[in-house]
Amino acid sequence: METLEPLLSEHPFLKGLDPKHLQLITGCASNVRFDAGQIIFREGEEADQFYIIRNGKVTLQIYTPGRGSIIIDALTEGDILGWSWLIPPYQWRFDAVAGELTRAIALDGKCLRNKCESDHDLGYELLKRFASIVDSRLESTRLRLLDMYDSNP
Amino acid sequence: MTVTLEKLTKDIVPSQEMIPEYFRIIRTQKNTHDTFTIELEPPKNGFSFAPGQFNMLYMFGVGEVPISISGDPSDRNTLTHTIRAVGSVTRAMQKLKKGDFVGVRGPFGTHWPAEESKGNDIVIVAGGIGLAPLRPSIYHILSNREKYGKVVLLYGTRMPKDILYRKELEQWRARFDLEVLATVDRAASDWKGNVGVVTTLIPRSHFDPPNTVAMVCGPEIMMRFSVQDLLKRGVPVENIYVSMERNMKCGIGFCGHCQCGPTFICKDGPVYPYNAVKDIFIKREI
Ligand SMILES: Cc1cc2nc3c(=O)[nH]c(=O)nc-3n(C[C@H](O)[C@H](O)[C@H](O)COP(=O)(O)OP(=O)(O)OC[C@H]3O[C@@H](n4cnc5c(N)ncnc54)[C@H](O)[C@@H]3O)c2cc1C
Ligand code: FES
């Protein structure tokens, strides 16, 4: 059977990972596909997976009474979708909707959580990598909070 | 030695540059809810400028404001300005119609290194109204397309309704020799494009960083963060150019109104190599 290991090892998020850890992660990975408009997960649902987007587009949306669903982020090829599987209470905070036909690698968060608990080296490596994603998303969010296009130069 | 008043004022005041010429409006266009474009007919001999330069536009009885030229530098017979209505002068300009007259002094200031960057990849990063001063550069590059490597345009606005030159952006995006990525800060769920700040497009676009010249224009905070991301990708600092904005009066390095530390934005800028202004970027209260 064709394994996802070569694909995963090339992805910047997992690049340089110890081969034995990569093998563990590959054991939790599967190929998935979402049609345009398909809901990948909804706010409040159990967060038991995360995704590496291979191609397509996923929008993160939040429902606001009176204003409908607002897109707060859009993720594309190469982006990582979801880190709520890593942080208690392991529930999604937003809705994720495929903006177009999207192919991704799904990683079983529950399975990975258990592996991280029993192998702290793997846990530390993954946390470091997720911290860097959280950092860049936080920077982007802060910039948007400034509403910079509406202000003076 | 006696110095006459006439000689003094001749040396100090470059009188011609202080007198506006009357240009007739030949077309006006609403771009977005708060932004509009006016096309002016130069009174004689056409009008030459380099991409990135600006004019002082005088609205009779209201005041004068610096506005970048946003049209095609190869078209000497039309002078185009895209203006966002933010205050007294620009709001009054929003009411101008075809046939009205505007006072014009210029062109002033430095220009984008479009011509000098031939042989390189080009990354243009624009935020909001910042696309207007960069558009002449885009025209220049596209009309000499074979002289450049990869050309990338990254554009960010607040919301989809703020996107400038929408039709033109769509035409540019359809070209095979230009990568155009646009993003908005927020959008309703029917928006099909990117969402996120313009800086998030920098790691996603395709260019060869060591051989890339970057031109960045938008709010200062957006330029600051864009420069950091360009540097992170490996674009050499000396290849990064930004455009600075400050209030202006004379536009010709005479009144000191636009002074920013050691530099006068109207004459040493508005386009600077990033290295030349990076201290101003992070200094507070200038
Ligand atoms: C070199 C240069 C090139 C420029 N090119 C363009 C251009 O191509 N198109 C364009 O629309 N503008 C451009 N500007 C900005 C433009 O000059 C100002 O928006 C204009 O002077 C405001 O004048 P006003 O009388 O309408 O507003 P004011 O009555 O002076 O100000 C009203 C409000 O607008 C705010 N404001 C002032 N300046 C700006 C600004 N630059 N951006 C946002 N808010 C501001 C003020 O703080 C105030 O709150 C440029 C400025 C410079 C220095
Ligand atoms: S505007 Fe007068 S010196 Fe620059």
Side-chain angles (χ1 to χ4, degrees):
Chain A
M1 198 185 81
E2 196 193 342
T3 153
L4 290 171
E5 195 167 322
L7 260 177
L8 289 172
S9 67
E10 279 309 304
H11 193 279
F13 178 68
L14 298 173
K15 221 169 184 162
L17 209 64
D18 187 319
K20 90 172 181 252
H21 288 151
L22 194 66
Q23 219 177 359
L24 279 178
I25 291 174
T26 310
C28 301
S30 60
N31 262 319
V32 288
R33 171 207 141 117
F34 304 101
D35 292 325
Q38 189 175 339
I39 290 160
I40 302 172
F41 53 75
R42 274 210 189 277
E43 184 182 349
E45 285 176 358
E46 189 187 348
D48 48 9
Q49 298 208 299
F50 75 96
Y51 302 89
I52 296 177
I53 300 172
R54 294 179 65 184
N55 50 54
K57 179 177 289 164
V58 175
T59 59
L60 292 183
Q61 306 187 3
I62 187 157
Y63 181 78
T64 349
R67 288 168 69 195
S69 285
I70 307 285
I71 302 179
I72 46 163
D73 222 331
L75 306 174
T76 56
E77 189 181 324
D79 286 338
I80 305 289
L81 166 64
W83 57 69
S84 299
W85 64 275
L86 200 56
I87 304 154
Y90 313 119
Q91 277 178 358
W92 296 119
R93 302 298 179 82
F94 306 107
D95 300 340
V97 183
E100 56 193 54
L101 173 68
T102 299
R103 292 193 174 82
I105 297 174
L107 291 120
D108 183 339
K110 250 188 198 163
C111 147
L112 266 181
R113 246 175 4 230
N114 291 335
K115 287 180 177 169
C116 289
E117 285 299 342
S118 55
D119 182 342
H120 286 184
D121 285 349
L122 170 65
Y124 179 63
E125 267 305 321
L126 276 183
L127 267 181
K128 256 198 319 194
R129 288 157 198 253
F130 268 101
S132 144
I133 294 175
V134 174
D135 175 59
S136 64
R137 301 259 172 90
L138 182 61
E139 178 183 306
S140 155
T141 307
R142 282 177 174 155
L143 279 178
R144 279 190 279 164
L145 270 178
L146 287 173
D147 210 359
M148 54 190 178
Y149 302 121
D150 207 33
S151 53
N152 289 347
Chain B
M1 192 183 77
T2 46
V3 181
T4 63
L5 184 62
E6 189 193 0
K7 162 131 184 29
L8 253 184
T9 47
K10 188 168 148 286
D11 284 352
I12 304 170
V13 186
S15 53
Q16 273 322 100
E17 292 179 316
M18 288 302 287
I19 301 169
E21 255 192 297
Y22 298 92
F23 283 44
R24 196 170 60 90
I25 296 181
I26 46 176
R27 206 166 94 95
T28 64
Q29 194 195 350
K30 185 177 169 181
N31 300 108
T32 70
H33 59 108
D34 63 359
T35 304
F36 57 98
T37 294
I38 53 175
E39 288 178 16
L40 305 165
E41 181 181 48
K44 52 178 192 288
N45 306 329
F47 189 95
S48 297
F49 71 98
Q53 285 194 298
F54 68 96
N55 281 323
M56 295 299 294
L57 296 189
Y58 181 56
M59 178 79 197
F60 301 108
V62 189
E64 201 182 32
V65 286
I67 301 288
S68 304
I69 306 165
S70 66
D72 186 345
S74 69
D75 177 1
R76 288 175 43 82
N77 298 315
T78 317
L79 175 62
T80 306
H81 287 285
T82 301
I83 304 163
R84 182 167 171 216
V86 294
S88 50
V89 180
T90 48
R91 285 212 185 99
M93 284 178 169
Q94 205 173 13
K95 299 194 182 91
L96 288 167
K97 294 183 304 296
K98 182 177 170 183
D100 289 343
F101 283 86
V102 175
V104 176
R105 293 193 291 126
F108 298 133
T110 53
H111 58 86
W112 297 110
E115 182 63 22
E116 297 80 348
S117 304
K118 284 180 174 164
N120 286 281
D121 287 0
I122 305 286
V123 176
I124 290 171
V125 189
I129 185 79
L131 182 58
L134 281 164
R135 191 168 67 159
S137 251
I138 301 172
Y139 287 137
H140 180 86
I141 290 164
L142 291 182
S143 55
N144 296 276
R145 183 63 191 85
E146 70 290 353
K147 305 268 170 45
Y148 299 88
K150 293 201 173 90
V151 181
V152 176
L153 168 61
L154 310 176
Y155 181 42
T157 63
R158 191 173 182 232
M159 291 203 263
K161 70 178 167 68
D162 300 313
I163 294 175
L164 269 185
Y165 314 134
R166 211 176 245 267
K167 262 209 183 115
E168 216 164 11
L169 279 171
E170 278 162 17
Q171 284 162 5
W172 289 338
R173 198 160 51 180
R175 291 176 67 127
F176 292 111
D177 57 358
L178 183 63
E179 182 180 354
V180 179
L181 297 177
T183 185
V184 297
D185 276 2
R186 65 191 78 126
S189 60
D190 56 356
W191 167 248
K192 297 273 177 274
N194 289 305
V195 178
V197 277
V198 69
T199 52
T200 59
L201 301 176
I202 294 171
R204 290 183 187 176
S205 48
H206 303 90
F207 55 88
D208 179 31
N211 299 307
T212 293
V213 173
M215 305 177 200
V216 188
C217 187
E220 237 166 82
I221 184 109
M222 170 234 133
M223 292 197 283
R224 228 162 76 195
F225 281 86
S226 299
V227 168
Q228 294 315 316
D229 280 301
L230 288 163
L231 292 172
K232 227 190 271 175
R233 275 259 344 231
V235 177
V237 68
E238 63 275 14
N239 286 6
I240 300 178
Y241 292 80
V242 295
S243 177
M244 302 289 287
E245 274 191 21
R246 287 295 186 275
N247 284 345
M248 289 183 183
K249 275 267 183 293
C250 71
I252 51 173
F254 180 65
C255 70
H257 231 81
C258 66
Q259 189 171 1
C260 229
T263 183
F264 284 42
I265 307 262
C266 67
K267 112 181 132 56
D268 308 321
V271 177
Y272 289 92
Y274 173 68
N275 258 342
V277 285
K278 70 168 188 269
D279 292 342
I280 298 172
F281 257 45
I282 46 174
K283 230 180 235 165
R284 286 144 215 261
E285 306 299 334
I286 281 194

